[in-house]
């Protein structure tokens, strides 16, 4: 029979019984009953005089009651944020805020009515409790501590608009108090130390005279005096005590210290005096500083200078030990350098050997030259001049002769030519001078040198062919050795391998070039020859450099032991041997059917056997790079590849035949295994997407491979398409239909089993907002503290709503699928609000509206001909840019005072001519409500009220 739903909004309070009866063919009528109880909506309405809800009162003065009418049946009405002394009381359906405030300041209060089955309602307002005088500078500015002659931080008090004067008592000398309308300023510089408890007392004022107190503490500064002028600047030698320097410390300073003193000089503070004393152990110019401590008024610094001269000291500036030299006669010495540290005017050297001189440059003395006399010469270097003691150092220069060697055997005996195995003619050398020994280097094997009794004898029989350039050296003393040169030349021919080691014993393949074999001859011969070389290999002789080179390509297999020899020498000839082994290369042949070495099949299939046969010099064969499941075996000269594929991969394999000492023979093949795959390559999770209808999806990309030539997609959501680009399947599009759409992507074009991948696309609906309250309720104009017409919006597709831009006192709640906006705005102004659904995936509808709150201003008493605007819009659009009071020109002198909620004066004009443009000293004031005092006819009539600045309005 179907279903029936009872729903809607209740606009009338009461108890409503209802019944529902079913009808329809084939159905027995059934009646059900129920009751809907609708409670009256909770409300708060200000019923006291307009303006009483946001009063400005004096401290300790009874406030005019703020009275609210309470609608509905709330179980509780409470007020929070009230100043001390003010309370809220509920009697029946009336809630009253009353009392006498005992604390000053601005208090934002809230009244909340809740319970009774309906949404709570709240009202927000403000109570300003005016002391008529307030500290406007920093909270600690009325209790300052400073030093004499230091500027006081300005102490500023804000005065109520009705205060006509203010005076200050007991200020420090030099500090003044100045009254200006709305402000009292304490400033300038104190000149006398002391503690000053001051008072500021007002006169006039709506709340009577008021007094505020503070304290200004003025501290004296520190003092520092040098007791004996001139002692602060001293010059002396190191380790010499200074003349004591004393300073007297006074004023507010409690101690003193020093920085920059030389080591050895110390400071002692006692009984108000700082004393510097001691013997400096550090040289240099020390600019020291004396400073006071302990004063709250900073420090005083005095300076001085202690110059400490270093005692002259001569230091060796050349190499360590160079001051004690061993020199050779008539040979330049290494320069000896002494460097002066400290103060002196001259450096002198005496007792130097003949031929040695000294030269002073700056703070260094240089000793140099060539000694011309033998002997040992102690010398002295000393300083002179300066303020401190002189320094002296000593050195020594020993002068010696050089060693000498001469040949004493027959002329030409130091340059001999002979065959190996023939004794040389004896060679004799005699030493003299400072020489004490002699020896020879570079002699050929079999020849030796013997030193005895100032003679060196060279003799013996050379055992190898060589050209030996030798040297005879005489040594002794500390002067350079003496050297004579000679030569012994052996001309017997000798063959030696000069190509790389091992080239004389090679193993190559037939028809393969050998590495060149090179022999070099030393000594003298007419020819060099080679015999027994392999066919295709020859020997090339070069007489210019005495070499023979064996090179070529052997063309007959075998082992060839060859001989190389010299001939035609006046001495015995030489012979040398080698070998060249020529082998056959290995051969590898595919003997299974043509094409078996390049097979393509599906995973899990058996391979057609592939057979390779070896020949030539080969003795074995192996295979590498086979796919999983395939193996190779060698037997009887054949390598057989067989098996069943267990993996999906293309394998390029290699077969190698080896043996015979020649390079391997190699053949290649390919086994291609197909197993189609399709893989998601767009971001992880892109195959599972959730979108709103009308939205484009993120592209879903698959890559197909391993034998697959294409791919396709099935069961895609309406609006989506799949295309193939190269090796990719791309799914894109814009969703057009609500629902959940599982899809599948799979490979095509391969004879092997296709691969598949899955995904799902979910398509959701959007969110909407519909105004269901009275037409026009979303654009209301009401007075402050008046209840607005309830505004209702119906939500569809969202779990909640966010409402922004409402005036204070107006609130929004969500009940089921309905947004309810209600309350009483507290502050004048234009409020453009927005309602947006929340908690939904898809785009949210936003509804807009406005609530314009007008300030209620009662007609002025005795000035009904004056019309004072309660708002204006200074935004330079040519409309309502000035605060213009109608009929003001009918009165004589009119003064205006404008203050903000904090009691600060933002505009003042003793003769107002409708010129205020909403600025304070040229700076635009923020949008807010301000309070005015208008005095006309020289104060004969006084009007007070509020005016709001709304810059976005006309």
């Amino acid at each position: 029979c179907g279903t029936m739903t009872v729903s809607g909004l209740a606009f009338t309070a009461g108890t409503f019984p209802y019944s529902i009866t079913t009808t329809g063919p084939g159905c027995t009528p059934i009646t059900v009953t129920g009751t809907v109880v609708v409670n009256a909506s909770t409300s708060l309405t200000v019923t006291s005089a307009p303006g009483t809800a946001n009063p400005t009162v004096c401290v300790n003065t009874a406030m005019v009651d703020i009275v609210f009418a309470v609608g509905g049946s709330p179980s509780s009405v409470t007020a929070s944020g009230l100043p001390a002394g003010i309370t809220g009381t509920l009697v029946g359906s009336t809630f009253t805020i009353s009392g006498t405030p005992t604390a000053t300041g601005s208090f934002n209060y809230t009244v909340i009515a809740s319970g009774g089955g309906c949404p709570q309602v709240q009202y927000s307002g403000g109570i300003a409790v005016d002391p008529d005088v307030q500290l406007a500078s920093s909270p600690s500015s009325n209790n300052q501590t400073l030093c004499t002659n230091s500027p006081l931080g300005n102490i500023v008090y804000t005065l109520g608009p009705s205060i006509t004067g203010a005076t200050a008592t007991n200020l420090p000398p030099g500090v003044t108090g100045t009254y200006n309308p709305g402000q009292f300023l304490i400033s300038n510089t104190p000149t006398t130390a002391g503690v000053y408890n001051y008072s500021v007392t007002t006169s006039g004022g709506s709340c009577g005279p008021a007094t505020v107190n503070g304290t200004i503490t003025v501290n004296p500064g520190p003092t520092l005096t040098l007791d004996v002028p001139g002692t602060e600047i001293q010059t002396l030698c190191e380790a010499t005590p200074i003349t004591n320097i004393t300073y007297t410390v006074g004023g507010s300073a409690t101690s003193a210290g020093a920085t920059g003193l030389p080591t050895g000089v110390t400071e002692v503070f006692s009984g108000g005096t700082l004393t510097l004393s001691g013997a400096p152990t550090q040289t240099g110019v020390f600019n020291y500083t004396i400073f006071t401590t302990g004063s709250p008024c900073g420090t005083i610094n005095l300076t001085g200078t202690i110059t400490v001269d270093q005692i002259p000291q001569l230091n060796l500036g050349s190499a360590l030990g160079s001051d004690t030299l061993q020199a050779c006669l008539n040979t330049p010495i290494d320069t000896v350098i002494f460097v002066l540290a400290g103060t002196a005017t001259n450096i002198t050297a005496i007792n130097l050997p003949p031929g040695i001189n000294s030269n002073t440059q700056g703070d260094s003395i240089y000793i140099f030259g060539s000694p011309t006399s033998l002997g040992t010469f102690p010398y002295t270097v000393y300083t002179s001049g300066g303020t401190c003691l002189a320094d002296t150092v000593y050195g020594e220069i020993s002068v010696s002769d050089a060693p000498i060697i001469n040949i004493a055997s027959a002329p030409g005996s130091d340059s001999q030519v002979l065959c190996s195995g023939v004794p040389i003619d004896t060679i004799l050398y005699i030493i003299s001078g400072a020489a004490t020994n002699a020896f020879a280097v570079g002699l050929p094997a079999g020849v030796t040198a013997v030193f005895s009794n100032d003679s060196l004898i060279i003799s013996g029989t050379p055992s190898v062919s060589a050209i030996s350039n030798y040297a005879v050296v005489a040594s002794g003393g500390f002067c350079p050795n003496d050297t004579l040169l000679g030569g012994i030349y052996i001309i017997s021919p000798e063959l030696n391998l000069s190509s790389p080691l091992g080239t004389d014993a090679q193993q190559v393949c037939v028809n393969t070039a050998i590495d060149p074999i090179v022999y070099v001859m030393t000594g003298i011969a007419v020819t060099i020859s080679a015999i027994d070389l392999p066919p295709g290999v020859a020997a090339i002789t070069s007489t210019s450099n005495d070499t023979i080179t064996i090179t070529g390509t052997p063309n007959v297999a075998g082992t060839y032991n060859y001989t190389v020899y010299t001939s035609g020498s006046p001495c015995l000839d030489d012979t040398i041997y080698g070998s060249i082994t020529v082998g056959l290369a290995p051969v590898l042949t595919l003997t299974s059917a043509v094409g078996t070495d390049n097979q393509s099949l599906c995973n899990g299939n058996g391979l057609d056997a592939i057979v390779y046969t070896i020949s030539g010099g080969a003795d074995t064969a192996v295979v590498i790079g086979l796919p999983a499941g395939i193996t190779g075996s060698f037997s009887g000269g054949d390598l057989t590849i067989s098996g069943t594929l267990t993996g999906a991969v293309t394998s390029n394999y290699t077969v190698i035949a080896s043996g015979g000492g020649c390079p391997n023979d190699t053949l290649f093949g390919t086994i291609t295994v197909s197993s189609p795959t399709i893989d998601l390559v767009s971001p992880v999770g892109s195959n599972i997407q959730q979108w709103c209808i009308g939205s484009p999806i993120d592209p879903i990309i698959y890559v197909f491979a391993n034998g697959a030539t294409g791919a396709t997609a099935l069961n895609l959501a309406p609006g989506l398409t799949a295309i193939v680009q190269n090796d990719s399947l791309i799914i894109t599009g814009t969703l057009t239909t609500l629902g959940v759409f599982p899809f599948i992507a799979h490979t095509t074009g391969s004879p092997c089993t296709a691969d598949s991948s899955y995904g799902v696309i979910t398509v959701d609906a959007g969110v909407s907002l519909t105004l269901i309250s009275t037409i026009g309720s979303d654009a209301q104009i009401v007075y402050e503290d008046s209840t607005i017409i309830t505004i209702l919006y119906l939500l569809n597709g969202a779990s909640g709503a966010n409402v922004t831009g409402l005036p204070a006192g107006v609130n929004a709640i969500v009940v089921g699928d309905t947004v309810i906006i209600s309350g009483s705005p507290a502050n004048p102004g234009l409020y453009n609000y927005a309602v947006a659904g929340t908690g939904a995936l898809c785009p949210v509808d936003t509804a807009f509206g406005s609530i314009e709150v007008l300030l209620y201003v009662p007609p002025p008493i005795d000035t009904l001909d004056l019309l004072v605007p309660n708002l204006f819009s200074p935004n330079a659009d040519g409309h309502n840019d000035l605060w213009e009071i109608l009929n003001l020109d009918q009165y004589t002198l009119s003064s205006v005072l404008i203050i903000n909620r904090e009691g600060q004066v933002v505009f003042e004009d003793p003769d107002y001519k409708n010129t205020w443009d909403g600025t304070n000293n040229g700076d635009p004031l923020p949008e807010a409500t301000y309070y005015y005092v208008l005095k006309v006819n020289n104060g004969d009539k006084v009007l007070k009220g509020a005016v709001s600045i709304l810059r976005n309005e006309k």
Side-chain angles (χ1 to χ4, degrees), residues 494-882:
E494 184 176 336
L495 289 168
N496 292 289
L497 181 69
S498 67
S499 55
L501 185 67
T503 53
D504 57 344
Q506 295 189 42
Q507 185 174 2
V508 298
C509 292
V510 67
N511 298 320
T512 301
I514 68 170
D515 293 332
I517 308 169
V518 182
Y519 294 93
V520 63
M521 181 191 72
T522 58
I524 297 175
V526 176
T527 61
I528 311 173
S529 304
I531 59 174
D532 299 330
L533 294 173
V537 176
I540 301 172
T541 302
S542 172
T543 58
S544 62
N545 56 7
D546 291 332
T547 61
I548 186 170
T549 302
I550 300 173
T551 183
T553 301
N555 51 40
V556 178
T559 300
Y560 300 89
N561 297 309
Y562 65 87
T563 302
V564 179
Y565 60 92
T566 66
S567 59
S569 171
C571 302
L572 292 176
D573 287 308
D574 191 20
T575 302
I576 197 168
Y577 305 94
S579 68
I580 300 174
T581 302
V582 184
L584 292 175
V587 178
L588 182 65
T589 306
L590 176 69
T591 55
S592 56
V594 175
T596 55
D597 57 344
N598 190 2
Q599 299 185 40
S600 180
L601 59 161
C602 294
N603 185 26
N605 291 354
L607 182 73
D608 292 338
I610 309 170
V611 180
Y612 293 90
T613 300
I614 63 173
S615 59
D619 56 20
T620 188
V622 295
V623 60
I624 57 175
L626 294 174
I630 304 301
T631 60
S633 62
F634 178 77
S635 176
D638 292 332
L639 177 73
T640 303
I641 300 172
S642 60
T644 299
L645 298 164
T646 61
V649 65
T650 297
S651 300
N652 296 309
Y653 67 86
T654 303
V655 180
I656 303 169
S658 60
C662 293
N664 299 334
D665 191 15
T666 303
L667 292 178
F668 304 95
T670 301
I671 301 173
T672 301
V673 185
S674 296
S675 182
T677 59
I678 187 167
D679 296 299
L680 182 71
V681 296
S682 50
V684 176
S686 60
N687 59 332
I688 302 175
Q689 299 187 33
Q690 184 175 8
W691 292 97
C692 300
I693 191 168
S695 300
I697 69 167
D698 293 334
I700 306 171
I701 304 174
Y702 295 92
V703 170
F704 51 85
N706 296 324
T709 61
T712 187
L714 304 176
N715 302 327
L716 291 176
L720 302 186
T721 58
I723 61 172
V724 173
Q725 291 184 358
N726 299 324
D727 61 351
S728 299
L729 178 70
I730 303 173
I731 301 173
T732 59
T734 300
L735 301 166
T736 61
T737 305
L738 298 175
V740 178
F741 301 92
F743 67 89
I744 180 172
H746 64 82
T747 61
T748 61
S750 172
C752 303
T753 303
D755 189 22
S756 300
S757 183
Y758 303 90
V760 62
I761 304 293
T762 303
V763 187
D764 292 334
V767 177
S768 64
L769 276 167
T770 305
L771 179 71
I772 59 174
S773 55
T774 306
I775 295 176
S777 59
D778 56 347
Q780 300 187 37
I781 301 175
V782 297
Y783 283 103
E784 63 175 332
D785 301 326
S786 299
T787 303
I788 69 169
I789 298 171
T790 301
I791 308 169
L792 305 172
Y793 290 93
L794 181 64
L795 278 172
N796 181 26
S799 61
N802 183 30
V803 182
T804 58
L806 294 175
V810 177
N811 301 289
I813 61 173
V814 177
V815 178
D817 58 358
T818 304
V819 181
I820 304 172
I821 301 174
S822 61
S824 301
N827 299 316
L830 178 61
Y831 299 88
N832 295 309
Y833 68 84
V835 182
T838 60
L841 169 70
C842 295
V844 176
D845 189 14
T846 301
F848 301 94
S850 65
I851 300 173
E852 184 175 2
V853 184
L854 303 178
L855 177 67
Y856 177 79
V857 179
I861 301 173
D862 296 328
T863 55
L864 297 179
D865 57 335
L866 285 175
L867 180 59
V868 183
N870 59 10
L871 57 87
F872 68 114
S873 56
N875 54 13
D877 64 353
H879 300 283
N880 206 19
D881 288 331
L882 300 175

Side-chain angles (χ1 to χ4, degrees), residues 307-324:
T307 302
V308 184
D309 289 338
Q310 182 180 358
I311 296 174
Q313 182 177 354
L314 286 169
N315 298 302
L316 185 64
S318 49
L320 183 66
S322 60
D323 54 343
T324 302

